[in-house]
Amino acid sequence: MSASATKFIIVRHGETDWNIEGRLQGQSTIDPGLNEKGFLQAETLAEGLKTYNISKIFSSDLRRARETALKISILLNKEVSYDKRLRERNQGVLHNLTYKESEEQQPEAYAILKKRDVNARIPNGESQEDIRLRVVEALQDIGRISPGAVVLIVTHGGVVHEIFRHVKCHMFSERIINGSVNILHLDKENGVSSALSINHSNDINGSEKVHDTINSGNITKEKWIWAIELWNSTTHLESVGFSVKGYGGGAGEA
């Protein structure tokens, strides 16, 4: 990557009670916040990010992301900018329902939620492709104003999935854990799109590296190189714990 590349540290918000209950948060007007473990995850996450030279913080404006971003911003002494394009999927008629309730009360919408048709839109809500388009636009806009910078993004499981799907040419990611860390490099390319070989690590400190090849993305007329350095790292959460089965981190969940 060139010196002008933006390094994005992308984190999923801490745990909420709705994550544990299997209740669809999306963009619910109830806007649930973090639970006790979620706040601990946010504090631990903040400690783990101190070694990075983060210059800017951008966050979804939904409460669970705001509360996570605030914990980090206080420790890093950085202001937070909020961007609605970083919100979780709009779940439409499924908002506030558990997965079981969704299946019973809104079977057609539930079927859309669970299948991997990225263009299928939940009634009164969004498709996975809708998320991808707005989130990629947001990251590219931030990249334009932050060349060479390290930028923290606080967002949601569905958003992280769509970033992965964009970079990895429509492959689906594993379940994204609350408080997990992902590192992505984004650079504008002057020439023709090409592949980029980088190290792919599953450790926040960059250990246990294996070789990976990431293809460049192109969502506008501009050419961009997208490269993953780290994905779904949870080693920093070992002291406070996390739920592997917690809802909201799988493809199609929120």
Side-chain angles (χ1 to χ4, degrees):
M1 301 297 280
S2 72
S4 64
T6 304
K7 182 174 185 175
F8 285 105
I9 301 176
I10 303 170
V11 302
R12 186 185 178 203
H13 63 79
E15 183 183 281
T16 70
D17 285 340
W18 284 25
N19 287 141
I20 302 304
E21 294 171 10
R23 193 171 297 279
L24 289 154
Q25 301 171 106
Q27 299 180 21
S28 170
T29 55
I30 295 176
D31 205 10
L34 303 182
N35 60 21
E36 183 178 357
K37 180 173 285 187
F39 278 112
L40 288 174
Q41 289 170 339
E43 291 171 359
T44 304
L45 179 58
E47 286 290 338
L49 294 173
K50 285 196 300 185
T51 57
Y52 292 93
N53 187 26
I54 293 171
S55 59
K56 300 177 182 179
I57 302 176
F58 289 84
S59 174
S60 158
D61 64 337
L62 296 175
R63 181 182 171 189
R64 54 198 185 275
R66 293 199 320 267
E67 291 177 343
T68 303
L70 180 61
K71 284 287 185 182
I72 298 170
S73 69
I74 292 172
L75 187 63
L76 300 185
N77 194 27
K78 300 290 181 182
E79 293 186 0
V80 182
S81 298
Y82 296 99
D83 192 326
K84 291 183 178 181
R85 293 175 296 178
L86 300 175
R87 284 183 172 190
E88 182 57 279
R89 183 180 189 174
N90 184 337
Q91 298 287 8
V93 297
L94 298 180
H95 277 132
N96 310 330
L97 300 177
T98 65
Y99 286 86
K100 183 177 180 180
E101 290 168 345
S102 297
E103 187 175 15
E104 294 171 349
Q105 298 175 30
Q106 298 285 349
E108 292 183 5
Y110 179 78
I112 292 172
L113 177 71
K114 298 306 291 182
K115 69 181 180 181
R116 290 187 171 182
D117 179 351
V118 299
N119 294 303
R121 186 172 288 117
I122 295 171
N124 300 330
E126 289 183 298
S127 68
Q128 290 174 262
E129 187 66 4
D130 291 333
I131 309 171
R132 185 184 73 86
L133 291 173
R134 63 172 164 84
V135 170
V136 168
E137 178 187 70
L139 293 185
Q140 289 180 347
D141 285 349
I142 294 169
R144 289 187 190 96
I145 62 173
S146 311
V150 180
V151 178
L152 176 67
I153 302 290
V154 183
T155 187
H156 306 268
V159 170
V160 179
H161 271 285
E162 289 310 303
I163 294 170
F164 185 90
R165 190 171 68 84
H166 179 76
V167 177
K168 296 287 281 185
C169 300
H170 305 289
M171 290 175 58
F172 289 90
S173 175
E174 62 191 343
R175 180 179 297 277
I176 304 299
I177 302 298
N178 289 110
S180 60
V181 171
N182 313 273
I183 299 178
L184 175 75
H185 298 263
L186 179 59
D187 198 7
K188 288 186 68 173
E189 186 180 22
N190 295 322
V192 179
S193 295
S194 61
L196 177 70
S197 295
I198 63 165
N199 286 321
H200 178 199
S201 167
N202 59 9
D203 189 297
I204 193 171
N205 297 312
S207 61
E208 301 178 17
K209 293 178 180 177
V210 296
H211 198 65
D212 198 10
T213 300
I214 309 299
N215 290 323
S216 58
N218 179 18
I219 200 168
T220 68
K221 292 181 180 179
E222 299 169 296
K223 298 291 185 179
W224 294 87
I225 296 176
W226 300 74
I228 294 173
E229 176 184 335
L230 179 72
W231 206 254
N232 206 21
S233 174
T234 57
T235 54
H236 56 290
L237 297 174
E238 291 177 356
S239 62
V240 296
F242 57 88
S243 175
V244 175
K245 296 182 180 180
Y247 290 90
E253 299 176 2

